[in-house]
Amino acid sequence: EDKVVQSPLSLVVHEGDTVTLNCSYEVTNFRSLLWYKQEKKAPTFLFMLTSSGIEKKSGRLSSILDKKELFSILNITATQTGDSAIYLCAATSGTYKYIFGTGTRLKVLA
Amino acid sequence: KAGVTQTPRYLIKTRGQQVTLSCSPISGHRSVSWYQQTPGQGLQFLFEYFSETQRNKGNFPGRFSGRQFSNSRSEMNVSTLELGDSALYLCASSPQTGGVMNTEAFFGQGTRLTVV
């Protein structure tokens, strides 16, 4: 059965710290890996990765995919309290669905 | 462009009742997916529709059903509600062109369902 596993489940850091969130997947006919940020209700899209080894960046956030080892990481540098959220990772396959992990709850303390 | 709209935002129902949730996708998006989110379980896939056809269904009992209309709006229905159905129900639309899921999904604010 297809699955996506995220670690750690939760994380508490101080402003200015750098964090690395992990996402591993076992998905048949893997197509892409997506990252979302969920602050209250609606997850908002961060990155979509399809190629191995190519880093995607947006401000202080960056992500990379390793299709050989079947994982992705999301890095957040110089964290701010506004980064506090649940970060969700999802994989797509040829089965018309997004397969989500349980998420990493990040709390950034001032 | 308006985002994904879900109604109602909050709902309280009694065990045994049924409920219908609505989702209006972003204009032009033909793929609509539904997810159930509970603490510790992440987003659990319910079903996906494209051009009024259900292309995939998750591992939920038959009490959970859905449909999509010709304007891409979608509804999901839960019959004979149980306490365990209390959750945030999220709808997502994506600009799929008919093939595999090769774009990001855009989520609505969700419907918070509480079963008492």
Side-chain angles (χ1 to χ4, degrees):
Chain A
E1 187 179 332
D2 294 338
K3 66 178 180 179
V4 172
V5 178
Q6 293 185 246
S7 64
L9 290 180
S10 66
L11 196 53
V12 180
V13 300
H14 289 90
E15 271 192 322
D17 289 349
T18 293
V19 298
T20 298
L21 309 184
N22 303 294
C23 174
S24 63
Y25 62 91
E26 292 178 29
V27 173
T28 306
N29 295 324
F30 171 82
R31 305 288 183 181
S32 62
L33 193 291
L34 300 95
W35 285 95
Y36 285 85
K37 177 183 182 182
Q38 185 178 27
E39 293 180 80
K40 292 196 176 168
K41 288 191 175 175
T44 53
F45 172 74
L46 294 174
F47 298 110
M48 180 172 181
L49 304 154
T50 56
S51 300
S52 208
I54 299 175
E55 185 182 53
K56 289 208 171 183
K57 291 194 68 147
S58 177
R60 297 176 293 102
L61 278 65
S62 64
S63 183
I64 197 161
L65 174 68
D66 185 329
K67 291 169 76 172
K68 183 179 176 184
E69 300 297 331
L70 307 183
F71 78 91
S72 174
I73 60 172
L74 175 69
N75 279 319
I76 308 174
T77 59
T79 52
Q80 302 171 356
T81 54
D83 295 327
S84 296
I86 297 173
Y87 290 84
L88 298 163
C89 161
T92 67
S93 67
T95 58
Y96 306 120
K97 66 180 179 181
Y98 299 86
I99 305 145
F100 280 87
T102 53
T104 293
R105 185 180 294 272
L106 173 66
K107 186 170 180 62
V108 182
L109 303 176
Chain B
K1 212 177 210 182
V4 179
T5 304
Q6 290 188 246
T7 56
R9 295 287 304 277
Y10 300 91
L11 208 47
I12 299 176
K13 289 286 189 179
T14 305
R15 271 183 303 175
Q17 288 187 311
Q18 77 164 28
V19 67
T20 299
L21 312 181
S22 179
C23 172
S24 292
I26 292 172
S27 177
H29 288 192
R30 293 160 67 188
S31 171
V32 174
S33 304
W34 288 89
Y35 294 83
Q36 180 195 67
Q37 187 176 30
T38 54
Q41 291 293 316
L43 273 70
Q44 301 292 309
F45 173 73
L46 283 156
F47 17 70
E48 191 265 357
Y49 289 90
F50 182 88
S51 291
E52 302 179 70
T53 299
Q54 185 184 88
R55 298 194 296 186
N56 201 353
K57 188 178 192 306
N59 296 324
F60 279 82
R63 302 184 295 106
F64 291 81
S65 63
R67 58 178 175 169
Q68 187 181 34
F69 302 94
S70 58
N71 61 358
S72 294
R73 189 177 72 84
S74 177
E75 289 182 346
M76 68 163 278
N77 185 76
V78 188
S79 62
T80 319
L81 284 165
E82 300 178 359
L83 295 179
D85 297 333
S86 295
L88 179 67
Y89 290 88
L90 289 163
C91 163
S93 75
S94 57
Q96 304 297 337
T97 55
V100 297
M101 309 299 267
N102 55 0
T103 70
E104 67 271 30
F106 298 85
F107 284 85
Q109 291 292 319
T111 295
R112 171 75 65 186
L113 172 65
T114 302
V115 182
V116 297

